[in-house]
Amino acid sequence: MTHRTAEDAVRACYSTWSTSYYDDYYGEGAAYPPVHRDLLRRILAPRKGGTLLDAGCGPASFLRDVTDLGFDLYGFDLTPEMVTAARQVLGERGVPAERIWQGSVLDEAAYSAPGGWPQTFDAAVCVGVLPHIPEGEEGTVFANLRGAVRPGGLAVVEARNELFSLFTLNRYSRDFFMDRLIDRGGVLSRAPGEERGALEGALDGLEAMFRTDLPPVRRGEDGQPGYDEVLSRTHNPLELAPRFARAGFADVRVMFYHFHCLPPMLGEAVPQAFRAASLALEENPEDWRGHFMASAFMLVGRRE
Ligand SMILES: C[S@@+](CC[C@H](N)C(=O)[O-])C[C@H]1O[C@@H](n2cnc3c(N)ncnc32)[C@H](O)[C@@H]1O
Protein backbone atom coordinates (compact mmCIF):
# COMPACT_ATOMS: atom_id res chain seq x y z
CA MET A 1 0.00 0.00 0.00
CA THR A 2 1.41 3.45 -0.85
CA HIS A 3 1.33 6.26 1.73
CA ARG A 4 -1.36 8.02 -0.21
CA THR A 5 -3.73 5.06 -0.44
CA ALA A 6 -3.04 4.12 3.20
CA GLU A 7 -3.80 7.69 4.30
CA ASP A 8 -6.91 7.84 2.10
CA ALA A 9 -8.30 4.70 3.73
CA VAL A 10 -7.49 5.98 7.24
CA ARG A 11 -9.11 9.34 6.45
CA ALA A 12 -12.23 7.54 5.20
CA CYS A 13 -12.31 5.37 8.33
CA TYR A 14 -12.20 8.36 10.68
CA SER A 15 -14.50 10.57 8.58
CA THR A 16 -17.60 8.97 10.12
CA TRP A 17 -16.24 9.05 13.65
CA SER A 18 -15.74 12.75 14.40
CA THR A 19 -18.88 13.25 16.50
CA SER A 20 -18.92 9.90 18.33
CA TYR A 21 -15.20 9.30 18.95
CA TYR A 22 -15.05 11.20 22.25
CA ASP A 23 -18.12 9.43 23.67
CA ASP A 24 -16.79 6.04 22.50
CA TYR A 25 -13.40 6.37 24.19
CA TYR A 26 -13.54 9.17 26.76
CA GLY A 27 -17.21 9.55 27.69
CA GLU A 28 -19.26 8.19 30.57
CA GLY A 29 -20.45 5.26 28.48
CA ALA A 30 -16.99 4.23 27.22
CA ALA A 31 -16.30 0.51 27.52
CA TYR A 32 -13.24 1.28 29.69
CA PRO A 33 -12.24 4.51 31.46
CA PRO A 34 -9.90 6.83 29.49
CA VAL A 35 -6.81 5.76 31.39
CA HIS A 36 -4.55 7.05 28.62
CA ARG A 37 -5.91 10.55 29.13
CA ASP A 38 -5.21 10.35 32.84
CA LEU A 39 -1.70 9.03 32.19
CA LEU A 40 -1.00 11.82 29.71
CA ARG A 41 -2.28 14.38 32.17
CA ARG A 42 0.09 12.98 34.80
CA ILE A 43 3.00 13.20 32.36
CA LEU A 44 2.20 16.75 31.24
CA ALA A 45 1.07 18.38 34.50
CA PRO A 46 4.59 18.90 35.99
CA ARG A 47 5.50 20.96 32.91
CA LYS A 48 3.24 23.74 34.16
CA GLY A 49 2.14 25.32 30.93
CA GLY A 50 3.77 26.53 27.73
CA THR A 51 2.70 25.35 24.29
CA LEU A 52 1.31 21.88 23.59
CA LEU A 53 0.90 20.33 20.14
CA ASP A 54 -1.34 17.29 19.58
CA ALA A 55 -0.26 15.62 16.32
CA GLY A 56 -3.27 13.62 15.12
CA CYS A 57 -5.59 15.35 17.58
CA GLY A 58 -8.85 13.75 16.37
CA PRO A 59 -11.91 15.74 17.57
CA ALA A 60 -9.72 17.37 20.25
CA SER A 61 -10.56 14.29 22.28
CA PHE A 62 -7.50 14.75 24.47
CA LEU A 63 -7.03 18.51 24.11
CA ARG A 64 -10.52 19.30 25.40
CA ASP A 65 -9.66 17.51 28.64
CA VAL A 66 -6.45 19.46 29.34
CA THR A 67 -7.70 23.03 29.08
CA ASP A 68 -7.06 23.34 32.85
CA LEU A 69 -3.33 22.52 32.71
CA GLY A 70 -2.26 26.00 31.59
CA PHE A 71 -0.99 25.11 28.09
CA ASP A 72 -1.67 27.05 24.91
CA LEU A 73 -3.24 24.26 22.85
CA TYR A 74 -2.49 23.44 19.21
CA GLY A 75 -3.34 20.43 17.07
CA PHE A 76 -3.61 19.03 13.59
CA ASP A 77 -5.22 15.95 12.07
CA LEU A 78 -5.32 14.14 8.73
CA THR A 79 -9.12 13.93 8.62
CA PRO A 80 -11.04 17.13 7.74
CA GLU A 81 -14.11 16.04 9.72
CA MET A 82 -11.91 15.66 12.81
CA VAL A 83 -10.44 19.15 12.27
CA THR A 84 -13.94 20.65 12.05
CA ALA A 85 -15.07 18.86 15.21
CA ALA A 86 -11.89 19.84 17.10
CA ARG A 87 -12.27 23.52 16.12
CA GLN A 88 -15.85 23.54 17.30
CA VAL A 89 -15.19 21.83 20.63
CA LEU A 90 -12.11 23.92 21.44
CA GLY A 91 -13.76 27.09 20.13
CA GLU A 92 -16.38 26.67 22.85
CA ARG A 93 -13.48 26.65 25.31
CA GLY A 94 -11.87 29.80 23.93
CA VAL A 95 -9.20 28.26 21.67
CA PRO A 96 -8.95 30.12 18.32
CA ALA A 97 -9.83 28.07 15.22
CA GLU A 98 -6.44 28.70 13.58
CA ARG A 99 -4.74 26.70 16.32
CA ILE A 100 -6.23 23.54 14.74
CA TRP A 101 -5.35 22.64 11.16
CA GLN A 102 -5.24 19.76 8.72
CA GLY A 103 -2.03 17.82 8.06
CA SER A 104 -0.23 14.49 8.19
CA VAL A 105 2.30 13.47 10.83
CA LEU A 106 4.48 12.29 7.93
CA ASP A 107 4.73 15.84 6.61
CA GLU A 108 7.30 18.01 8.40
CA ALA A 109 5.47 21.19 7.39
CA ALA A 110 2.30 20.03 9.18
CA TYR A 111 3.99 20.56 12.56
CA SER A 112 3.93 24.36 12.11
CA ALA A 113 0.77 26.32 12.84
CA PRO A 114 -0.49 28.15 9.72
CA GLY A 115 0.72 31.51 11.09
CA GLY A 116 4.20 30.03 11.61
CA TRP A 117 4.14 30.72 15.36
CA PRO A 118 5.18 29.15 17.70
CA GLN A 119 8.19 27.78 15.83
CA THR A 120 8.64 24.97 18.32
CA PHE A 121 6.45 23.64 21.13
CA ASP A 122 7.19 22.94 24.78
CA ALA A 123 5.50 19.57 24.46
CA ALA A 124 4.05 17.41 21.69
CA VAL A 125 1.88 14.31 21.92
CA CYS A 126 0.95 11.86 19.18
CA VAL A 127 -1.63 9.32 20.34
CA GLY A 128 -3.52 6.77 18.25
CA VAL A 129 -1.68 7.67 15.05
CA LEU A 130 1.38 5.40 14.83
CA PRO A 131 -0.77 2.30 14.10
CA HIS A 132 -1.78 3.98 10.84
CA ILE A 133 1.76 4.76 9.68
CA PRO A 134 3.23 2.40 7.06
CA GLU A 135 6.07 0.13 8.19
CA GLY A 136 9.42 1.87 8.12
CA GLU A 137 7.96 5.39 8.33
CA GLU A 138 7.97 5.64 12.12
CA GLY A 139 11.39 7.31 11.93
CA THR A 140 9.87 10.14 9.90
CA VAL A 141 7.27 10.73 12.61
CA PHE A 142 9.95 10.67 15.33
CA ALA A 143 12.17 13.09 13.38
CA ASN A 144 9.23 15.42 12.76
CA LEU A 145 8.28 15.36 16.45
CA ARG A 146 11.86 16.08 17.40
CA GLY A 147 11.86 19.07 15.06
CA ALA A 148 8.58 20.28 16.54
CA VAL A 149 9.65 20.49 20.19
CA ARG A 150 12.25 22.83 21.67
CA PRO A 151 15.45 21.43 23.20
CA GLY A 152 14.47 20.04 26.59
CA GLY A 153 10.84 19.84 25.46
CA LEU A 154 8.71 16.75 25.99
CA ALA A 155 7.49 14.31 23.32
CA VAL A 156 5.01 11.48 23.83
CA VAL A 157 4.21 8.88 21.17
CA GLU A 158 1.65 6.15 21.66
CA ALA A 159 1.62 2.74 19.98
CA ARG A 160 -0.33 -0.52 20.14
CA ASN A 161 1.68 -3.22 21.91
CA GLU A 162 2.62 -6.11 19.62
CA LEU A 163 3.80 -8.23 22.58
CA PHE A 164 0.28 -8.20 24.06
CA SER A 165 -0.42 -10.91 21.48
CA LEU A 166 1.54 -13.33 23.69
CA PHE A 167 -1.23 -12.98 26.29
CA THR A 168 -4.37 -12.92 24.13
CA LEU A 169 -4.17 -16.48 22.74
CA ASN A 170 -6.19 -15.40 19.70
CA ARG A 171 -5.66 -14.51 16.03
CA TYR A 172 -2.98 -11.96 16.99
CA SER A 173 -1.10 -14.65 18.93
CA ARG A 174 -1.22 -17.03 15.98
CA ASP A 175 0.18 -14.30 13.72
CA PHE A 176 2.90 -13.37 16.23
CA PHE A 177 3.99 -16.99 16.72
CA MET A 178 3.85 -17.96 13.06
CA ASP A 179 5.03 -14.73 11.39
CA ARG A 180 7.29 -13.05 13.94
CA LEU A 181 8.75 -15.73 16.19
CA ILE A 182 8.90 -18.95 14.22
CA ASP A 183 10.73 -19.10 10.92
CA ARG A 184 8.62 -21.93 9.48
CA GLY A 185 10.58 -22.18 6.26
CA GLY A 186 13.91 -22.06 8.07
CA VAL A 187 12.98 -24.69 10.65
CA LEU A 188 11.59 -26.99 7.96
CA SER A 189 14.62 -26.58 5.73
CA ARG A 190 16.91 -27.69 8.59
CA ALA A 191 14.78 -30.73 9.46
CA PRO A 192 16.00 -34.11 8.25
CA GLY A 193 13.66 -35.70 5.72
CA GLU A 194 12.31 -38.29 8.15
CA GLU A 195 11.14 -35.57 10.59
CA ARG A 196 9.67 -33.15 8.09
CA GLY A 197 6.15 -34.60 8.11
CA ALA A 198 6.03 -34.65 11.92
CA LEU A 199 7.33 -31.08 12.02
CA GLU A 200 4.62 -29.90 9.60
CA GLY A 201 2.07 -31.60 11.84
CA ALA A 202 3.51 -29.99 14.97
CA LEU A 203 3.38 -26.53 13.40
CA ASP A 204 -0.21 -27.06 12.22
CA GLY A 205 -1.07 -28.26 15.72
CA LEU A 206 0.47 -25.15 17.22
CA GLU A 207 -1.61 -22.92 14.94
CA ALA A 208 -4.75 -24.78 15.98
CA MET A 209 -4.13 -23.91 19.65
CA PHE A 210 -5.21 -20.30 19.14
CA ARG A 211 -8.75 -18.88 19.02
CA THR A 212 -8.35 -17.42 15.54
CA ASP A 213 -12.03 -16.42 15.44
CA LEU A 214 -11.17 -13.76 18.04
CA PRO A 215 -11.19 -10.83 18.37
CA PRO A 216 -14.15 -9.80 16.17
CA VAL A 217 -13.15 -7.57 13.25
CA ARG A 218 -14.17 -3.92 13.84
CA ARG A 219 -16.10 -2.86 10.75
CA GLY A 220 -16.86 0.68 9.58
CA GLU A 221 -20.03 2.72 9.26
CA ASP A 222 -21.78 4.30 6.27
CA GLY A 223 -19.85 2.14 3.80
CA GLN A 224 -16.47 3.38 5.07
CA PRO A 225 -13.72 0.97 6.20
CA GLY A 226 -13.51 0.13 9.91
CA TYR A 227 -10.48 0.27 12.25
CA ASP A 228 -9.41 -3.31 11.45
CA GLU A 229 -9.99 -2.78 7.72
CA VAL A 230 -7.40 -0.02 7.38
CA LEU A 231 -3.70 -0.09 8.25
CA SER A 232 -3.68 -0.41 12.07
CA ARG A 233 -0.31 -1.87 13.06
CA THR A 234 1.14 -2.87 16.39
CA HIS A 235 4.71 -2.16 17.55
CA ASN A 236 7.20 -3.98 19.74
CA PRO A 237 8.18 -1.69 22.65
CA LEU A 238 11.57 -3.44 22.88
CA GLU A 239 12.31 -2.26 19.34
CA LEU A 240 10.50 1.05 19.28
CA ALA A 241 11.93 2.61 22.45
CA PRO A 242 15.57 2.42 21.24
CA ARG A 243 14.50 3.80 17.86
CA PHE A 244 12.82 6.73 19.63
CA ALA A 245 16.00 7.35 21.62
CA ARG A 246 18.14 7.21 18.46
CA ALA A 247 15.84 9.82 16.90
CA GLY A 248 17.16 12.31 19.49
CA PHE A 249 15.16 11.84 22.68
CA ALA A 250 16.73 11.38 26.13
CA ASP A 251 15.40 9.81 29.36
CA VAL A 252 13.05 7.60 27.33
CA ARG A 253 10.40 5.84 29.40
CA VAL A 254 8.00 3.15 28.24
CA MET A 255 4.64 3.55 29.96
CA PHE A 256 2.00 0.88 29.48
CA TYR A 257 -1.76 1.24 29.67
CA HIS A 258 -4.93 -0.70 28.87
CA PHE A 259 -3.87 -3.54 31.10
CA HIS A 260 -5.79 -6.81 30.94
CA CYS A 261 -5.81 -8.85 34.14
CA LEU A 262 -6.68 -11.96 32.10
CA PRO A 263 -6.65 -12.79 28.39
CA PRO A 264 -9.55 -10.64 27.08
CA MET A 265 -11.62 -13.62 25.92
CA LEU A 266 -12.02 -14.64 29.59
CA GLY A 267 -13.27 -11.22 30.60
CA GLU A 268 -16.67 -11.47 28.93
CA ALA A 269 -18.04 -13.86 31.55
CA VAL A 270 -16.81 -11.74 34.49
CA PRO A 271 -16.88 -8.13 33.27
CA GLN A 272 -16.90 -6.43 36.67
CA ALA A 273 -14.09 -8.49 38.15
CA PHE A 274 -12.14 -8.13 34.91
CA ARG A 275 -12.49 -4.37 34.88
CA ALA A 276 -11.66 -3.87 38.57
CA ALA A 277 -8.52 -6.00 38.48
CA SER A 278 -7.39 -4.48 35.18
CA LEU A 279 -7.82 -0.95 36.51
CA ALA A 280 -5.73 -1.88 39.54
CA LEU A 281 -2.86 -2.79 37.19
CA GLU A 282 -3.06 0.64 35.51
CA GLU A 283 -1.68 2.19 38.69
CA ASN A 284 1.88 1.31 37.70
CA PRO A 285 2.41 2.04 33.97
CA GLU A 286 6.00 0.81 34.27
CA ASP A 287 5.11 -2.63 35.66
CA TRP A 288 7.17 -5.12 33.59
CA ARG A 289 4.00 -7.18 33.06
CA GLY A 290 2.78 -4.35 30.85
CA HIS A 291 5.01 -5.74 28.11
CA PHE A 292 2.51 -8.62 27.83
CA MET A 293 -0.68 -7.62 29.64
CA ALA A 294 -1.17 -4.08 28.30
CA SER A 295 -2.45 -3.46 24.79
CA ALA A 296 -0.84 -0.04 24.38
CA PHE A 297 2.15 1.97 25.52
CA MET A 298 3.55 5.46 25.40
CA LEU A 299 7.13 6.42 24.73
CA VAL A 300 7.99 9.51 26.71
CA GLY A 301 11.20 11.42 26.05
CA ARG A 302 12.89 14.79 26.33
CA ARG A 303 14.37 16.38 23.22
CA GLU A 304 18.13 16.41 23.58
C1 LIG B 1 -7.35 6.87 17.27
S1 LIG B 1 -7.65 8.54 16.79
C2 LIG B 1 -6.83 9.39 18.12
C3 LIG B 1 -7.29 10.80 18.30
C4 LIG B 1 -6.59 11.52 19.47
N1 LIG B 1 -5.17 11.63 19.27
C5 LIG B 1 -6.84 10.79 20.77
O1 LIG B 1 -5.92 10.16 21.27
O2 LIG B 1 -7.95 10.84 21.26
C6 LIG B 1 -6.48 8.67 15.49
C7 LIG B 1 -6.49 10.01 14.80
O3 LIG B 1 -5.30 10.08 14.01
C8 LIG B 1 -5.60 10.69 12.79
N2 LIG B 1 -4.57 10.29 11.84
C9 LIG B 1 -4.38 9.08 11.26
N3 LIG B 1 -3.31 9.11 10.45
C10 LIG B 1 -2.81 10.37 10.53
C11 LIG B 1 -1.70 11.03 9.94
N4 LIG B 1 -0.90 10.42 9.05
N5 LIG B 1 -1.48 12.31 10.27
C12 LIG B 1 -2.27 12.97 11.14
N6 LIG B 1 -3.35 12.41 11.73
C13 LIG B 1 -3.60 11.12 11.43
C14 LIG B 1 -7.00 10.21 12.45
O4 LIG B 1 -7.63 11.08 11.54
C15 LIG B 1 -7.65 10.21 13.82
O5 LIG B 1 -8.28 11.45 14.09
Side-chain angles (χ1 to χ4, degrees), residues 9-220:
V10 168
R11 202 184 283 115
C13 167
Y14 282 104
S15 68
T16 60
W17 220 345
S18 62
T19 52
S20 58
Y21 187 85
Y22 183 85
D23 289 339
D24 288 353
Y25 291 104
Y26 292 71
E28 294 290 316
Y32 194 69
V35 289
H36 65 301
R37 178 202 56 200
D38 301 339
L39 178 57
L40 269 176
R41 283 181 59 91
R42 268 159 59 194
I43 294 167
L44 288 169
R47 291 263 153 180
K48 301 206 187 324
T51 50
L52 170 64
L53 175 71
D54 189 343
C57 63
S61 29
F62 172 63
L63 288 180
R64 73 177 79 176
D65 283 353
V66 287
T67 52
D68 59 325
L69 290 186
F71 287 98
D72 290 333
L73 304 177
Y74 296 79
F76 68 88
D77 197 278
L78 181 71
T79 307
E81 290 82 355
M82 289 294 190
V83 172
T84 304
R87 281 184 176 151
Q88 185 180 334
V89 166
L90 289 182
E92 290 162 7
R93 291 157 174 78
V95 178
E98 61 270 19
R99 292 219 196 141
I100 306 294
W101 61 95
Q102 193 186 347
S104 169
V105 295
L106 288 170
D107 177 8
E108 189 184 357
Y111 292 72
S112 299
W117 184 261
Q119 286 175 330
T120 56
F121 297 86
D122 294 301
V125 301
C126 181
V127 176
V129 185
L130 217 57
H132 304 306
I133 298 305
E135 190 170 359
E137 294 295 313
E138 296 87 349
T140 304
V141 179
F142 293 170
N144 288 342
L145 279 168
R146 186 183 180 282
V149 295
R150 65 164 171 78
L154 183 82
V156 182
V157 186
E158 182 267 358
R160 294 173 71 203
N161 181 11
E162 179 179 47
L163 301 180
F164 178 51
S165 61
L166 288 171
F167 194 56
T168 56
L169 311 178
N170 60 13
R171 191 171 61 242
Y172 291 118
S173 321
R174 190 267 316 268
D175 294 348
F176 190 70
F177 269 70
M178 306 316 287
D179 300 340
R180 292 277 282 155
L181 293 180
I182 298 173
D183 173 10
R184 186 180 182 114
V187 176
L188 279 168
S189 72
R190 286 178 185 82
E194 71 269 21
E195 281 187 8
R196 211 161 282 165
L199 184 53
E200 293 267 20
L203 291 169
D204 290 346
L206 176 62
E207 271 198 85
M209 289 177 187
F210 302 108
R211 282 287 303 273
T212 52
D213 56 321
L214 295 174
V217 175
R218 287 164 285 189
R219 309 235 177 248

